[in-house]
Amino acid sequence: MSGSGTSYSCAFTSGCAALLMEYCPDLKVYPAKLTALMGGCAHEIAGYYDLESGLDDTVGCGLMNFEKCKESINNCMSTTTSSNSQADDFVIDQRIYLEAGKKVQIAVSWNGKSGDSVDSWQLNNYTLCLFRPSGAQIACSYSLYNNVLLIQYETEYTGNYRLVLLQEGDLVHTDPTNIFVYYSVWPSE
């Protein structure tokens, strides 16, 4: 069975989300964790990639991949920021081992804080960066307009790559922000 369009993709994606929440009940508690998992495991659609946030206006993170989500369920990093977090704080600074010639996809999602009305959202801004084992920055993603970031990169070297999430500016609200990072590794195409 195949289909296309938002009427088809919405039903498929929400069905996958429900199955993932059944598979890992923690995803029910933290919607941002589910968003990061699904984004970090989506299959890239060639020609659709925004260099700023990594997300495309047409296809978002890419094509939903349920099996990759299940396979990558333990590839999660998370943290909670507090009201005393300040600009240029490293929120996450981790190493991930990657083999040369593999494709890595990394997604970050965090909860937003509703303002006084449904139409007003306050989002904290973060920058996601990936560094080679040598220390050189190779990919970066940032956005002022949403709470999801995405990096897709084909590795050139085997080793421990550094993954950094940096807070840009002081927190815009005082409630704690739950931040989740998921990554998946794919064979090179």
Side-chain angles (χ1 to χ4, degrees), residues 26 29-37 76-80 92 107-111 147 149 165 177-182:
D26 196 39
V29 179
Y30 301 105
K33 187 173 186 177
L34 178 63
T35 302
L37 173 64
C76 180
M77 296 165 240
S78 64
T79 190
T80 301
I92 291 178
V108 176
S109 181
W110 58 95
N111 56 296
N147 63 330
L149 299 172
L165 184 66
T177 299
N178 298 311
I179 303 168
F180 299 95
V181 178
Y182 267 100

Side-chain angles (χ1 to χ4, degrees), residues 54-89:
L55 303 173
D56 180 77
D57 290 340
T58 305
V59 299
C61 293
L63 185 63
M64 174 69 203
N65 188 316
F66 178 75
E67 290 303 319
K68 188 57 103 171
C69 286
K70 284 177 54 179
E71 174 188 313
S72 303
I73 199 82
N74 293 321
N75 294 351
C76 180
M77 296 165 240
S78 64
T79 190
T80 301
T81 60
S82 62
S83 58
N84 60 357
S85 296
Q86 297 179 359
D88 300 326
D89 278 354

Side-chain angles (χ1 to χ4, degrees), residues 121-143:
W121 280 88
Q122 300 172 327
L123 295 174
N124 296 313
N125 296 314
Y126 298 96
T127 298
L128 176 65
C129 297
L130 184 65
F131 296 84
R132 282 191 182 109
S134 66
Q137 182 177 317
I138 49 177
C140 194
S141 178
Y142 61 93
S143 178

Side-chain angles (χ1 to χ4, degrees), residues 20-36:
L20 286 169
M21 288 187 283
E22 185 177 301
Y23 182 73
C24 179
D26 196 39
L27 297 173
K28 293 178 188 177
V29 179
Y30 301 105
K33 187 173 186 177
L34 178 63
T35 302

